[in-house]
Amino acid sequence: MLDDIDRKLLGILSANARISLKELAAEAGLSSPSTAERLRKLDERGVITGYTVDVDPRMLGYTLQAIVRVRPLPGQLHIIERMIQEMPHCVECDKVTGDDCFVARILVRNMEELDGLLDGIAERAQTSTSLVKSTSVKRRLPALLP
Amino acid sequence: MLDDIDRKLLGILSANARISLKELAAEAGLSSPSTAERLRKLDERGVITGYTVDVDPRMLGYTLQAIVRVRPLPGQLHIIERMIQEMPHCVECDKVTGDDCFVARILVRNMEELDGLLDGIAERAQTSTSLVKSTSVKRRLPALLP
DNA sequence: CTCTTTGCTGGATGATATCGACCGGAAACT
DNA sequence: AGTTTCCGGTCGATATCATCCAGCAAAGAG
């Protein structure tokens, strides 16, 4: 599916997506046009789904990060899902197997704000909250298999 | 801290970090040089920590995604943390409060692979695994406060 | 063996980033 | 108030980069 050069391109881009095409090509040992063509195809095939910026939440005033497991009460699942989606503090949420239906990552400025958010859904769901103390593994690509 | 234009720049970049400076400037209603200068400062201040590529794990052969809570046995915390960090399947891991010390996001090709990974740490930690069925909220920026 | 397809390169051209000079407004001194 | 300084901005020239095109080589199909 992916060859060595594709993997190399993804690796380089994951470290710096705003690198110039020329540099990217040089690091991958390719010419600019073929590099551009490979990127286009990776995009087209859906391997690359986008390019984004990483921002330090603390620099935005979000000093607290929590991982919240949400177990909606019977009949409340869809409402809860929509509430989570519309909550701007939620920066990531997955629907998972098991008793906890959702696992969400929440950013807040302080405890009061977190408390307020959880209160807002308390009537429709049980929640288990873990505060993030530190990040052991910063988001990264998995091993790129052949 | 951040003004309206900074927020706009972050918003645009979070949607497409490889946009040209010129387009970025146009969308933000600014000239290219001042846009470049603002990016430089956002970088310098640590607001922007990097630019990355988003990749579809399924396109890399990772058909299964799991969120694993890890509770190391007494005395095993550091070893477990290192083992997680060195596990290429782990694409994200936070150290959290509560009984579960770590919450990790794991990518695997199939159940056997997941089983193998969990077996690998079973002697040193208890784990609770939730398989990701779907993504309710794709990773995004939180509300950008003034 | 030839034809076709695919993926690459190099060079020309058009687009973009960057640099320097300059400008105006706000805050800080005198 | 007047002056100075600083900050953030624009504009235009130049250097750098992305893209287009023609041509080539290797691999697979007929």
Side-chain angles (χ1 to χ4, degrees):
Chain A
M1 195 100 191
L2 299 183
D3 66 12
D4 283 348
I5 297 178
D6 287 330
R7 283 192 286 278
K8 192 152 197 174
L9 292 176
L10 291 178
I12 298 166
L13 286 173
S14 80
N16 176 16
R18 270 187 79 77
I19 192 175
S20 76
L21 190 57
K22 194 193 181 190
E23 282 182 83
L24 181 61
E27 285 206 46
L30 224 61
S31 67
S32 300
S34 41
T35 302
E37 177 66 8
R38 274 171 183 271
L39 288 191
R40 201 192 57 72
K41 282 187 183 165
L42 286 170
D43 227 330
E44 188 183 65
R45 283 194 274 164
V47 178
I48 291 177
T49 58
Y51 300 97
T52 76
V53 62
D54 273 351
V55 169
D56 184 345
R58 287 166 305 189
M59 289 293 137
L60 300 180
Y62 294 104
T63 55
L64 223 54
Q65 194 168 343
I67 292 177
V68 181
R69 291 179 282 135
V70 181
R71 185 192 309 198
L73 299 177
Q76 306 292 314
L77 190 141
H78 287 94
I79 299 177
I80 283 291
E81 182 164 23
R82 204 164 325 117
M83 288 175 78
I84 293 174
Q85 287 167 341
E86 288 166 2
M87 190 180 289
H89 298 80
C90 171
V91 293
E92 187 173 278
C93 177
D94 293 288
K95 199 173 182 184
V96 300
T97 62
D99 291 334
D100 304 310
C101 261
F102 300 101
V103 178
R105 181 182 300 264
I106 304 290
L107 299 182
V108 290
R109 277 168 282 189
N110 49 52
M111 275 298 176
E112 289 71 43
E113 193 169 36
L114 179 59
D115 195 40
L117 289 177
L118 296 178
D119 272 3
I121 60 172
E123 291 178 358
R124 303 176 186 278
Q126 294 176 357
T127 59
S128 307
T129 301
S130 303
L131 297 176
V132 173
K133 292 187 289 184
S134 68
T135 297
S136 300
V137 177
K138 272 207 61 178
R139 199 166 47 78
R140 66 184 179 194
L141 288 182
L144 299 172
L145 313 160
Chain B
M1 195 102 191
L2 298 184
D3 66 12
D4 284 347
I5 296 179
D6 288 330
R7 284 192 285 277
K8 193 153 196 176
L9 292 176
L10 291 178
I12 297 166
L13 286 173
S14 80
N16 176 16
R18 271 188 77 78
I19 191 176
S20 76
L21 190 58
K22 193 191 181 191
E23 282 183 83
L24 181 60
E27 286 206 47
L30 223 60
S31 68
S32 301
S34 42
T35 302
E37 177 64 9
R38 274 172 182 270
L39 289 191
R40 200 191 57 72
K41 282 187 183 165
L42 286 170
D43 228 329
E44 189 182 63
R45 282 195 276 165
V47 178
I48 291 178
T49 58
Y51 300 96
T52 77
V53 61
D54 272 353
V55 169
D56 184 345
R58 287 166 304 192
M59 290 292 137
L60 300 180
Y62 295 103
T63 54
L64 223 54
Q65 193 167 343
I67 292 177
V68 180
R69 292 179 281 134
V70 181
R71 184 192 311 196
L73 299 177
Q76 305 293 312
L77 190 141
H78 287 94
I79 299 176
I80 283 292
E81 181 164 24
R82 202 163 329 115
M83 288 174 78
I84 293 174
Q85 287 167 340
E86 287 166 3
M87 190 180 288
H89 298 80
C90 170
V91 293
E92 187 172 278
C93 177
D94 292 287
K95 200 173 183 182
V96 300
T97 62
D99 291 335
D100 304 310
C101 260
F102 300 102
V103 178
R105 181 182 301 264
I106 304 289
L107 299 181
V108 290
R109 277 168 281 190
N110 50 51
M111 274 299 177
E112 289 72 43
E113 194 167 36
L114 180 58
D115 196 39
L117 289 177
L118 296 178
D119 272 3
I121 60 172
E123 291 177 358
R124 304 176 185 280
Q126 294 176 0
T127 59
S128 305
T129 301
S130 302
L131 297 176
V132 173
K133 294 188 288 186
S134 68
T135 297
S136 300
V137 176
K138 272 207 61 179
R139 199 166 46 79
R140 66 186 180 193
L141 288 182
L144 299 173
L145 314 160

